[in-house]
Amino acid sequence: MNGHERFNLTARVLHWTMAPLIVAMLFVGVGMVASVANRPWLIDLHRPLGIAILVLVVVRLVNRLRHRPPPLPADLPRWQVLAALASHWLLYALMLAMPLAGWAMLSAGGYPIVLFGGVHLPAIAPQDPALYAWLRDAHGWAARLLFATVLLHVAAALFHAWVRRDGVFGSMARFGRRD
Amino acid sequence: MHEPDPPSLPTDPDVPAAPPPVDASPAAVPDESAPPGSPNPAPALLGIGAIVLAAAGALAWTAGWIGGGLTAQRMTDAIEAIGAPHPGFRRAHAKGVCVYGTFRANGAAVALSSARVFAQKETPVLGRFSIAGGDPHGADAKARVRSLALLLRTDDGQEWRTAMNSFPFFPVATPEGFHAQSLASAPDPKTGKPDPAKLAAFVAQYPEVKKFQAWAASAPWSNSWGNTEYNGVNAFVFTAADGSARYVRWSMRPQLPFAPLESAQRDQADADFLADDLNARLIAAPLAWDMVLTIAAPGDAVNDASQAWPDDRERVVAGTLELTRAEPQASGRCRDVNYDPLILPTGIAGSDDPILAARSAVYSQSFNRREREIAHGRAPEATGRGGAQ
Ligand code: HEM
Ligand code: HEM
Ligand code: HEM
């Protein structure tokens, strides 16, 4: 069992910075769409936080492609290895797609893309109702898929930590000494 | 820069802080002969299941999928239930026309707000006249409330969107009141008309609406969109470059003098007389309004649009709106615009009037629904690609 290597520091710091941000964004997103009282401050948070995630995930992907992650335990069943691989790449894809879809959807809907104060982003898509509707639905369904994948991912991480106790959790969660 | 992959460590407990691992103490694992790493997994699995379920439940609750609270979706559903479906049209103020023009600031409001629109000489305007109600074929002369929505985009890229009505104050103070009004206005399946008992119960619960009913019964009707005054009704916070802040409500005061539309004329008016009148007037000359900012005095209601401010409040004319051209909404640029009242430039911010937050959420629902209908080709009439238009 080769379970005691770790993700490099950049990967670990980014993972634990982004994990709460992304979970928060999912709650902020569904909350601002439903709430009759809290939408103004939630959407003011949603846009800049989403764009921050976009920047962070680009850094994270570059780091990921340049540093191989620690190997999974040799005794891990093959389907679990494949599931881990597939779910991690799905998470990366969704982390990248969600903010891009949000930005493009506001562009297609003819909305100004306000970050804070007078700071705006340019439109990245033409104003068009069909494109808007498609992107709006994509943003909503991709968010549901992201949430489901995160739940599965957390369940798997805790399974490694509490049931298999094979060092996989620590490969992402262990900080301190030897960095 | 490149951190070397750390070599393997000897046994390093690999356990998150909480909850405790299933074999945290020997007492928890009676079967000491079990090999390490394979204790009874049941408590851990239950814990994991509980965490996943709790997270999913929390999201479903936040999204309003479980729990019966008031949501933007439910408010929009209730508005839709008042009349027949009209795919691709706005769920309220469905009947209208696009208008184009210019706002010319006179500089007087620069002392009140740092928004560029008050300093820039000319700002292009994309607007929309409408009548209240969800029916795109509603008779103009039956609509007690008329409306003007504006989108002003300044050269710094900032936008100010506003949707104003011809009433001087809103019927209710809260989104709950608006929702109750929608529910009470839905037709009774037996009579096809709203249930008078439900309407009476609504008025009893939200007595502020009596003021509005008195206004609706007594205020004179004008005979044109062009000589009607439009009021923003909600209060906003204006912040000047020097940091000073004030509560402000705005109105568009027509330069055209008021001319009445008497009850006998209303009975005879063509269903589309407002658009016909507008087109005829714009061919002859542009129409103009003064933008009037009214500044709250201490003690004025700044979070309750159902209460008018006294007439003697300080007013500042910020500039002139001139409209020059109209176009049917099916082909005009205003069709695919959400006049969300909280799309504001720096220097103007929403107050904590609960109606404003609710409007922003409900307009987005309405916009999403109608754009989806247009996208899926289910709105031939709203896009002018069907028969009757
Ligand atoms: C990781 C990034 C993001 C996540 C996880 C996320 C998540 C969500 C979720 C869960 C919703 C509610 C969907 C629904 O109820 O159908 C939502 C809606 C929305 N998001 Fe995002 N989002 C992200 C990035 C962005 C970005 C970058 C923008 C814009 C710059 C954006 C703009 C919006 C808007 C405008 C809405 C819907 C508003 C409405 O229709 O009323 N999102 N988002
Ligand atoms: C909040 C609870 C979370 C826990 C306990 C957790 C735990 C872990 C662990 C233990 C790993 C290492 C797995 C391995 O070696 O294969 C990992 C990897 C990863 N996590 Fe999380 N995670 C959490 C949240 C998230 C969230 C919200 C996201 C993003 C949506 C995310 C994205 C990822 C990705 C993409 C990897 C793969 C890294 C790689 O192989 O490049 N995690 N996580
Ligand atoms: C909670 C209270 C309110 C609700 C739920 C509500 C609901 C709506 C909805 C669903 C639309 C259609 C939006 C779209 O599809 O783009 C709309 C449009 C409109 N509303 Fe409201 N409204 C409220 C309060 C007000 C107030 C206070 C005013 C004015 C002072 C107002 C003026 C307008 C105008 C002028 C339009 C038409 C805008 C356009 O031309 O696109 N509404 N409203």
Side-chain angles (χ1 to χ4, degrees):
Chain A
M1 180 155 72
N2 184 5
H4 299 291
E5 290 180 30
R6 289 185 284 182
F7 283 88
N8 76 351
L9 183 63
T10 311
R12 279 174 287 142
V13 167
L14 282 171
H15 178 276
W16 293 111
T17 311
M18 293 178 71
L21 285 183
I22 285 171
V23 172
M25 280 294 283
L26 291 163
F27 279 86
V28 167
V30 298
M32 75 191 189
V33 168
S35 172
V36 295
N38 297 311
R39 180 185 177 91
W41 70 270
L42 288 176
I43 198 164
D44 283 348
L45 193 65
H46 193 84
R47 285 176 307 238
L49 218 56
I51 296 299
I53 288 172
L54 178 61
V55 173
L56 291 176
V57 78
V58 170
V59 176
R60 189 167 167 186
L61 276 168
V62 170
N63 177 68
R64 173 65 173 77
L65 295 172
R66 292 173 58 176
H67 298 269
R68 248 180 337 109
L72 287 164
D75 66 336
L76 198 65
R78 178 139 182 82
W79 71 269
Q80 287 184 24
V81 175
L82 289 178
L85 203 69
S87 62
H88 291 163
W89 285 110
L90 182 61
L91 288 170
Y92 280 125
L94 289 171
M95 283 189 278
L96 190 65
M98 283 298 302
L100 284 174
W103 184 356
M105 142 188 133
L106 285 180
S107 312
Y111 289 103
I113 302 136
V114 182
L115 289 189
F116 32 76
V119 180
H120 289 236
L121 291 178
I124 53 167
Q127 187 177 355
D128 178 76
L131 187 62
Y132 172 77
W134 189 86
L135 286 166
R136 178 65 186 79
D137 286 341
H139 196 72
W141 286 109
R144 287 165 178 76
L145 180 61
L146 175 59
F147 187 65
T149 314
V150 166
L151 286 187
L152 211 68
H153 173 76
V154 172
L158 295 178
F159 184 77
H160 283 285
W162 294 342
V163 179
R164 283 187 53 94
R165 312 186 69 235
D166 57 6
V168 166
F169 189 89
S171 70
M172 190 57 97
R174 229 162 358 94
F175 282 87
R177 265 191 339 168
R178 310 196 27 77
D179 277 322
Chain B
M1 243 188 75
H2 289 197
E3 204 198 338
D5 287 335
S8 296
L9 287 174
T11 50
D12 193 345
D14 174 42
V15 160
V22 289
D23 58 348
S25 69
V29 190
D31 179 8
E32 299 202 358
S33 65
S38 55
N40 174 15
L45 291 178
L46 279 176
I48 294 171
I51 289 171
V52 167
L53 275 182
L59 189 89
W61 182 82
T62 309
W65 299 329
I66 54 175
L70 187 60
T71 61
Q73 289 87 336
R74 291 187 183 116
M75 280 187 79
T76 314
D77 293 345
I79 295 169
E80 286 180 348
I82 296 172
H86 299 287
F89 287 97
R90 286 164 168 82
R91 271 37 180 175
H93 303 255
K95 187 179 183 188
V97 299
C98 300
V99 283
Y100 306 87
T102 307
F103 174 72
R104 291 190 182 84
N106 59 17
V110 169
L112 301 179
S113 165
S114 61
R116 175 94 182 111
V117 66
F118 297 122
Q120 189 176 314
K121 279 217 169 65
E122 297 198 342
T123 303
V125 173
L126 166 60
R128 183 172 177 271
F129 281 114
S130 61
I131 58 171
D135 181 359
H137 310 291
D140 291 348
K142 291 225 160 62
R144 182 68 266 224
V145 175
R146 298 180 193 150
S147 320
L148 174 61
L150 302 174
L151 183 162
L152 301 102
R153 193 186 155 97
T154 42
D155 55 17
D156 57 359
Q158 299 212 45
E159 281 190 25
W160 179 11
R161 301 189 186 185
T162 172
M164 297 162 288
N165 275 332
S166 56
F167 48 58
F169 47 84
F170 202 55
V172 290
T174 58
E176 290 74 17
F178 186 94
H179 188 58
Q181 183 180 41
S182 302
L183 293 176
S185 308
D188 183 328
K190 283 192 223 93
T191 61
K193 290 205 166 78
D195 179 345
K198 280 192 188 158
L199 281 172
F202 158 68
V203 176
Q205 199 185 346
Y206 297 95
E208 69 257 36
V209 77
K210 288 186 194 143
K211 255 186 320 172
F212 182 83
Q213 290 172 332
W215 170 84
S218 65
W221 295 58
S222 64
N223 67 357
S224 169
W225 269 322
N227 58 17
T228 299
E229 173 162 330
Y230 303 94
N231 304 300
V233 168
N234 300 109
F236 292 79
V237 182
F238 276 45
T239 307
D242 64 9
S244 63
R246 300 158 185 81
Y247 284 102
V248 167
R249 286 174 175 172
W250 57 74
S251 297
M252 294 291 160
R253 189 174 62 198
Q255 292 189 353
L256 213 59
F258 180 88
L261 183 73
E262 304 297 354
S263 141
Q265 294 169 290
R266 291 207 294 278
D267 292 340
Q268 275 152 34
D270 186 84
D272 300 326
F273 84 90
L274 284 174
D276 297 341
D277 167 84
L278 181 73
N279 289 329
R281 287 181 194 271
L282 288 178
I283 287 170
L287 290 165
W289 284 258
D290 292 328
M291 181 192 285
V292 181
L293 307 176
T294 304
I295 301 164
D300 286 347
V302 293
N303 58 4
D304 180 353
S306 74
Q307 294 188 45
W309 292 345
D311 282 335
D312 62 359
R313 290 297 172 256
E314 183 187 351
R315 291 191 163 81
V316 174
V317 176
T320 309
L321 169 72
E322 187 182 80
L323 297 179
T324 51
R325 191 165 71 82
E327 192 181 4
Q329 60 175 350
S331 52
R333 284 200 289 130
C334 74
R335 188 192 71 195
D336 298 316
V337 172
N338 171 0
Y339 288 93
D340 176 341
L342 287 180
I343 295 181
L344 299 164
T346 47
I348 306 180
S351 64
D352 57 6
D353 181 341
I355 292 281
L356 273 178
R359 287 177 74 185
S360 189
V362 174
Y363 288 27
S364 179
Q365 286 289 325
S366 173
F367 181 71
N368 290 347
R369 293 181 190 193
R370 60 191 173 86
E371 296 299 279
R372 217 171 262 142
E373 288 155 357
I374 289 173
H376 297 172
R378 294 200 302 266
E381 198 201 337
T383 54
R385 301 210 185 95
Q389 236 303 296

